[in-house]
Each structure stands twice: as structure tokens, then as C-alpha cells.
Amino acid sequence: MMRKIMIVMSIMALMLAGAQMAAAADVLRMATTTSTANTGLLDYLVPMFQKDTGIELQFVAVGTGKALKLGQNCDVDILMVHAPAAEKKFVDAGYGMDRREIMYNDFVIIGPGSDPAGVKGMKVVPALKQIADKKAGFASRGDDSGTHKKERSLWAAAGFKGAPKGSWYMESGQGMLKTVVLAEEKQAYTMVDRGTYIKYSANAKGNPDLKVLVEGDQILFNQYSVITIKPSNCPKAKVKLAQKFADWITSAKMQKAIGDFRLLKMKLFVPNAK
């Protein structure tokens, strides 16, 4: 009798271990940008993914530069980022594969309603020159994120080598919402993706202190993509799970879900998977 009990207990232990191993195998690790987390998009998508696939998606939200480094170091299985030039270098260097575009929004320059630099309605490059000339406050993320990479490219187009100098130019070293809060505190300008600005507006019940002053420039287009970590660089990367996520988020069903995600009746992201 005792032998039978021990056998049953051993079988149960093996079954439990097997279930734990299966559960561990069905965890997908993703590095993504702060905008996809701050806006609530991932809180909206993650439960859908687990329901549809049985896979648990665990994510860390950091700037795109840090996300790419996490992928290069094999700390995650997939990336959701928004810095196309850096992403393509990452893939070309052999760290990632199967880059797929999934959605976009745009960047805007926001600032106090009083608009002390007088940039409302201007194109973005002359607006930045005018903010610099008048030494109006500008809050930058300063964190090598996708937004920061875009901002640096715009300052370069405005004739600056590297970041502008002076006390008027502030680097938060933090995520987008915290940088917007810094800009609000200092009554300064900043650049933000549209989705995060809508979230900031929703937090202010539709009456945010900082207003959109510069928008609509083609150069402000903001593309988001997913990239699977390449197994030749990271042998333990869960490629099959990553590809399931890439297939899922580019499916017609989930593209519609992304388009349906709104705050203040406004669309935060526009799906554009091919």
C-alpha cells in the first residue's frame, strides 16, 4: 500500500513539474517603449494575447535604445520599438529578424498655451530654431529612446551638433509622461508622441496645461514595429512564441483592436501591418 502511495505521489510530482515546465515555456519576454505602456495599450492587448494563445506576455517598458540593448544581450525574446533606422541596424548586425511594422502615430511639439516662443502653426525645424533663439524652456527625454533619437535628428536638421546647450534645455533621463510633467512644471516645450499626449490629456480630464503647437509635418511620422530576437545570437530565445506574437499582432483581428483603442474618443495608434 505504501509503495502504491509513493508511486502516486511520484507521478503527481512529475505532473506538477511538467506543468511548471510547460508554464515556463509559455512565457514570452518583450522589451518595449514607454509609450506603449504609458498609454495603456499593453494593458489592453496583453490579456487578449493570453486569452487567444495561452502565452503569458511579460514586458519591460524602456527607451528604444535600452530595448535594443536588452535584445542584443538576450534578455528578451521580442521587441516592440519605434526607431526605424536603429531597428534596421539591429537586424543588419544579426541581433534580430522578421521586423514587422504594426502601427504608427506622429510626434507633436507641445508647450504652454501662452506660447512664449511664438511657434504655433510653424514647421517643426524652424520652430525648434525659434525656441532655441529665444531660449524658451525645452524638456528632452535625454535617454536614447525612440523619441529622443527623433528629437536629436530634428535638432541636427535645425543646425545643432549634438544636444543644445544652456539651462533652457533640460534632459529628464526619464520616460515620456514624466518628461511631459517636467515640461508642465517648468512651463517649457517638449516633443511627445500623439498617443502619450492623448493619455496626458485624459489624465487632465481633457483640459491639459500643455497644448499642441506644432504638428502635421511629414517628418514627425512615428512608426512602431516588432522584431524577433535572432536565435543565432541568442540560442535560448523563444523564437516560436515570438513569431506567434508577431503573427497575432499583425492579424486583421488585432489590427482592428489597435485601431479601436481610444481615449477621449481619439485614436492613439493607427494600425498599418502589411
Side-chain angles (χ1 to χ4, degrees), residues 196-208:
T196 303
Y197 181 73
I198 294 171
K199 176 64 175 178
Y200 161 72
S201 300
N203 289 347
K205 303 187 186 306
N207 187 30

Side-chain angles (χ1 to χ4, degrees), residues 9 28 32 35-36 44 49 60 64 74 76 79 102-103 118 136 146 168 170 181 189-190 195 246 257:
M9 290 178 66
L28 177 66
T32 185
S35 58
T36 59
Y44 169 73
F49 181 60
V60 57
T64 288
C74 309
V76 293
L79 307 174
I102 55 170
M103 62 190 184
W168 64 273
M170 301 161 280
V181 170
Y189 297 87
T190 191

Side-chain angles (χ1 to χ4, degrees), residues 126-160:
L128 290 177
K129 287 181 179 178
Q130 193 150 303
I131 289 169
D133 287 345
K134 296 194 174 184
K135 293 182 170 52
F138 188 96
S140 168
R141 285 183 60 166
D143 63 351
D144 198 34
S145 61
T147 302
H148 185 223
K149 289 175 186 292
K150 171 64 77 171
E151 182 215 316
R152 283 186 301 183
S153 74
L154 295 175
W155 283 116
F160 288 83

Side-chain angles (χ1 to χ4, degrees), residues 14-257:
L14 286 170
M15 289 175 65
L16 179 60
Q20 290 173 337
M21 289 176 67
D26 286 341
V27 173
L28 177 66
R29 301 163 302 163
M30 180 171 74
T32 185
T33 72
T34 60
S35 58
T36 59
N38 286 344
T39 56
L41 178 67
L42 284 176
D43 291 335
Y44 169 73
L45 292 178
V46 167
M48 294 186 198
F49 181 60
Q50 185 152 10
K51 181 180 178 182
D52 288 349
T53 66
I55 299 167
E56 179 185 348
L57 178 63
Q58 298 177 351
F59 67 88
V60 57
V62 292
T64 288
K66 291 180 181 177
L68 293 171
K69 182 60 70 174
L70 287 171
Q72 181 179 335
N73 292 342
C74 309
D75 294 316
V76 293
D77 308 301
I78 193 166
L79 307 174
M80 184 190 292
V81 286
H82 68 137
E87 294 164 27
K88 289 169 185 174
K89 287 181 181 178
F90 181 84
V91 171
D92 291 344
Y95 301 125
M97 64 183 192
D98 193 22
R99 176 180 175 271
R100 305 193 205 182
E101 295 179 346
I102 55 170
M103 62 190 184
Y104 69 90
N105 57 20
D106 63 339
F107 291 108
V108 293
I109 302 294
I110 62 175
S114 60
D115 189 17
V119 299
K120 185 174 182 179
M122 293 178 66
K123 293 289 187 181
V124 64
V125 170
L128 290 177
K129 287 181 179 178
Q130 193 150 303
I131 289 169
D133 287 345
K134 296 194 174 184
K135 293 182 170 52
F138 188 96
S140 168
R141 285 183 60 166
D143 63 351
D144 198 34
S145 61
T147 302
H148 185 223
K149 289 175 186 292
K150 171 64 77 171
E151 182 215 316
R152 283 186 301 183
S153 74
L154 295 175
W155 283 116
F160 288 83
K161 294 182 179 179
K165 306 296 182 184
S167 59
W168 64 273
Y169 184 82
M170 301 161 280
E171 293 188 330
S172 73
Q174 300 188 80
M176 195 67 257
L177 266 180
K178 289 183 178 179
T179 303
V180 171
V181 170
L182 173 64
E184 182 181 287
E185 290 173 351
K186 300 295 185 180
Q187 286 296 283
Y189 297 87
T190 191
M191 189 179 83
V192 60
D193 70 278
R194 179 87 60 175
T196 303
Y197 181 73
I198 294 171
K199 176 64 175 178
Y200 161 72
S201 300
N203 289 347
K205 303 187 186 306
N207 187 30
D209 190 38
L210 300 182
K211 312 297 183 184
V212 174
L213 300 172
V214 177
E215 62 182 329
D217 227 333
Q218 187 175 357
I219 198 171
L220 294 174
F221 181 80
N222 182 30
Q223 179 69 54
Y224 290 80
S225 304
V226 290
I227 304 172
T228 297
I229 300 305
K230 200 166 186 178
S232 58
N233 184 60
C234 300
K236 294 183 180 179
K238 297 176 181 177
V239 176
K240 289 184 179 179
L241 298 189
Q243 289 176 334
K244 281 186 179 180
F245 179 80
D247 290 341
W248 177 83
I249 203 165
T250 55
S251 69
K253 173 187 172 181
M254 294 317 302
Q255 288 286 285
K256 181 179 184 302

